[in-house]
Amino acid sequence: MSILVALFDRIWGRMSEKPLAVAGLIVLTTAVVAAIPRSVIAFLVFIGSLLAIYYARFDNRYKLAMAVVTLGVLLPGIGLLNRYYLDVAIQVGIYMALALGLNIVVGFAGLLDLGYVAFYATGAYVWGIFGSSQAGNFIAKSVVSFPLNGDWFWLFLVLAVMAAATAGILLGLPVLRLKGDYLAIVTLGFGEIIRIVLNNLDKPINITNGPNGISPVQAPAIFGLKLSQGIHYYFLVLLIVLVVITVARRLERSRIGRAWEAIREDETAAAAMGVPVVRMKLLAFAMGASFAGAMGAVFASKQTFIDPSSFSFMESIGVLAMVILGGMGSIPGALIGATCVVVLQLQVLKSLSDWFSQLRNSGILKLPTQLEIAKYEKLVFGLILIIMMIYRPTGLIPAERRKHELEQAAGEDVDTPTSTGPPLPGAGVPGEGPAIEGHGGRGGAVVGPGSPAAPLGGDGRGLA
């Protein structure tokens, strides 16, 4: 095994600095998928080859050009050969935006949110109600005739973002003083409340049509031209994901992003340094929710049908698993985590189930009919999370700050003296400095201007 790893490192070390070699690798994997479009393995190799662009060590302009050609030309071309792959790419894009939104709340600000899917549902129902005949149940036809045509989608996309952001602020207000487990329980309850309200808001006035759901929901349109094909949704989702990545990247490197990091590391110290904790927390909830609201509207139009069961608690857990798998606080990690989970769910497990079914039908294996691999996807996700927490807690692509913290902590454990003898007269006990009451996670370190625990400089500038 070590020989194979060394061989891979040697080959990749030579390829990673040559743009033509990386471009050739992507073209080769694309040609393989085009030759055998039904091969799941070939598609997975193509998806894996996209990582070569990220890890390549040449000019970013070449990387950008390769990414544009791959995502703008090659992947849609593969989708025309096999529409299922295009649908997988759309699902990956939708969950990328969701993972990036939750990454802001959980990864940047350190606020555990288990009801994130509620914002996704908010955006979906904003367009679902008015993009179908459902709104005619409580708005007279003399005012507006429903369903609205697809040209209205763009306005309602903005309204979905605003509605989800407002819901995020409403959730953030009562949980400002909560942390850890208590915050997780309250957000979990919020997500369930939204789902139950959608399930029962069919009386006395039928607004959501309850458990029967809403159908059909109009597709987007531009000047009357409907964008209802898979290729249209692919580019729409790709455009939204690019906007979300840009916003998340700008926020991460701004004062707001540094303030979120300070709150995540130590809320009390952040407040002492002048960070407006309340405002920053509400902004984190609103920003994360707005991404989900946008994708909720796209999801409603693509599926043409929505009901409360599409926004269950397990959806929130699935998105959280993407963030943890990729690396909390890492934008590339959120993208990779979403890709891995969706491809595992839609491609790998489904293909394994089909393969075992063929073996059972041919008599090679005697397996009970109840044994379907795809039914155990939650079990597989749970095992993946356990393995990740044990062997790679920083995720597949960890955030740089988080990676340095863990490396530093590991180094301190190694350097810590193991002597149990009595301390010298006048010497302090290791690890028991004059701790500030209420501070956690710093081992009694003194938090003050110029100290290592001060999150962003001793004078607090640049935080607020």
Side-chain angles (χ1 to χ4, degrees):
M1 187 67 183
S2 59
I3 297 176
L4 292 177
V5 172
L7 182 61
F8 174 79
D9 289 341
R10 187 172 182 179
I11 296 175
W12 174 243
R14 293 182 178 179
M15 285 184 58
S16 60
E17 298 178 354
K18 299 177 180 177
L20 286 178
V22 176
L25 174 65
I26 295 173
V27 171
L28 177 62
T29 56
T30 305
V32 172
V33 177
I36 40 178
R38 292 184 178 276
S39 172
V40 175
I41 296 177
F43 182 69
L44 293 179
V45 171
F46 170 76
I47 294 293
S49 68
L50 298 181
L51 286 174
I53 300 176
Y54 177 77
Y55 283 109
R57 295 194 291 267
F58 44 72
D59 197 305
N60 286 334
R61 290 175 297 179
Y62 293 116
K63 290 185 178 183
L64 180 62
M66 288 182 189
V68 169
V69 172
T70 304
L71 297 178
V73 179
L74 298 181
L75 189 52
I78 291 174
L80 294 178
L81 295 174
N82 189 334
R83 292 185 179 181
Y84 182 70
Y85 291 152
L86 194 62
D87 193 54
V88 171
I90 295 170
Q91 292 292 330
V92 168
I94 289 175
Y95 280 101
M96 277 182 173
L98 295 179
L100 286 169
L102 186 60
N103 189 48
I104 287 179
V105 182
V106 177
F108 289 179
L111 305 170
L112 183 56
D113 186 354
L114 295 183
Y116 186 69
V117 74
F119 311 124
Y120 188 39
T122 301
Y125 270 86
V126 165
W127 175 239
I129 291 173
F130 293 96
S132 68
S133 58
Q134 184 62 30
N137 292 324
F138 54 92
I139 297 178
K141 290 184 179 178
S142 58
V143 179
V144 183
S145 178
F146 293 99
L148 299 174
N149 62 51
D151 291 326
W152 286 88
F153 172 82
W154 312 106
L155 173 62
F156 277 84
L157 181 64
V158 177
L159 293 178
V161 170
M162 296 172 64
T166 304
I169 293 174
L170 293 177
L171 168 65
L173 282 173
V175 302
L176 287 174
R177 296 183 180 277
L178 300 179
K179 300 177 183 177
D181 299 341
Y182 301 103
L183 177 62
I185 292 171
V186 172
T187 53
L188 187 156
F190 175 78
E192 285 300 292
I193 287 171
I194 292 293
R195 186 182 63 80
I196 292 171
V197 167
L198 294 175
N199 213 24
N200 293 279
L201 208 58
D202 57 343
K203 50 185 176 298
I205 301 174
N206 189 0
I207 298 177
T208 64
N209 207 26
N212 294 322
I214 298 174
S215 177
V217 181
Q218 294 292 308
I222 298 178
F223 301 116
L225 177 63
K226 280 193 173 184
L227 306 178
S228 57
Q229 300 299 316
I231 194 71
H232 300 146
Y233 282 107
Y234 171 77
F235 281 106
L236 174 60
V237 169
L238 180 62
L239 178 64
I240 294 177
V241 170
L242 291 176
V243 172
V244 169
I245 291 174
T246 304
V247 173
R249 180 68 74 183
R250 298 282 295 178
L251 285 172
E252 182 186 25
R253 298 175 178 177
S254 67
R255 289 184 174 184
I256 295 174
R258 295 196 297 274
W260 284 337
E261 285 188 6
I263 294 173
R264 182 190 66 196
E265 296 299 320
D266 194 319
E267 184 177 327
T268 307
M273 293 298 167
V275 174
V277 175
V278 173
R279 196 168 62 190
M280 289 298 110
K281 281 187 173 181
L282 291 179
L283 186 58
F285 276 115
M287 289 304 302
S290 62
F291 296 165
M295 276 308 174
V298 175
F299 172 77
S301 63
K302 177 182 177 297
Q303 297 297 112
T304 70
F305 171 77
I306 53 172
D307 70 330
S309 66
S310 301
F311 310 101
S312 64
F313 168 66
M314 293 310 298
E315 284 291 315
S316 293
I317 296 300
V319 180
L320 182 63
M322 296 171 189
V323 175
I324 294 175
L325 180 64
M328 288 190 290
S330 168
I331 293 175
L335 301 178
I336 294 298
T339 304
C340 290
V341 172
V342 174
V343 170
L344 180 67
Q345 184 179 10
L346 296 182
Q347 284 289 110
V348 179
L349 295 180
K350 184 175 180 298
S351 299
L352 281 176
S353 290
D354 294 341
W355 185 57
F356 276 109
S357 297
Q358 291 176 1
L359 293 178
R360 182 174 55 235
N361 295 334
S362 61
I364 297 176
L365 286 179
K366 293 182 180 179
L367 297 174
T369 55
Q370 294 81 6
L371 183 61
E372 293 286 345
I373 301 297
K375 293 180 180 178
Y376 296 93
E377 62 181 52
K378 305 304 179 189
L379 174 65
V380 175
F381 292 158
L383 291 175
I384 291 174
L385 290 180
I386 291 172
I387 293 172
M388 290 296 296
M389 288 297 101
I390 294 175
Y391 295 103
R392 198 174 175 84
T394 56
L396 295 175
I397 304 180
E400 289 298 322
R401 185 185 180 93
R402 177 70 174 158
K403 185 178 178 181
H404 292 322
E405 287 175 354
L406 290 178
E407 290 176 352
Q408 186 177 12
E412 289 175 354
D413 291 340
V414 172
D415 297 337
T416 300
T418 56
S419 173
T420 56
L424 296 175
V429 178
E432 293 185 2
I436 298 175
E437 186 177 358
H439 276 251
R442 287 292 179 190
V446 179
V447 180
S451 72
L456 292 174
D459 57 1
R461 293 176 184 174
L463 297 178

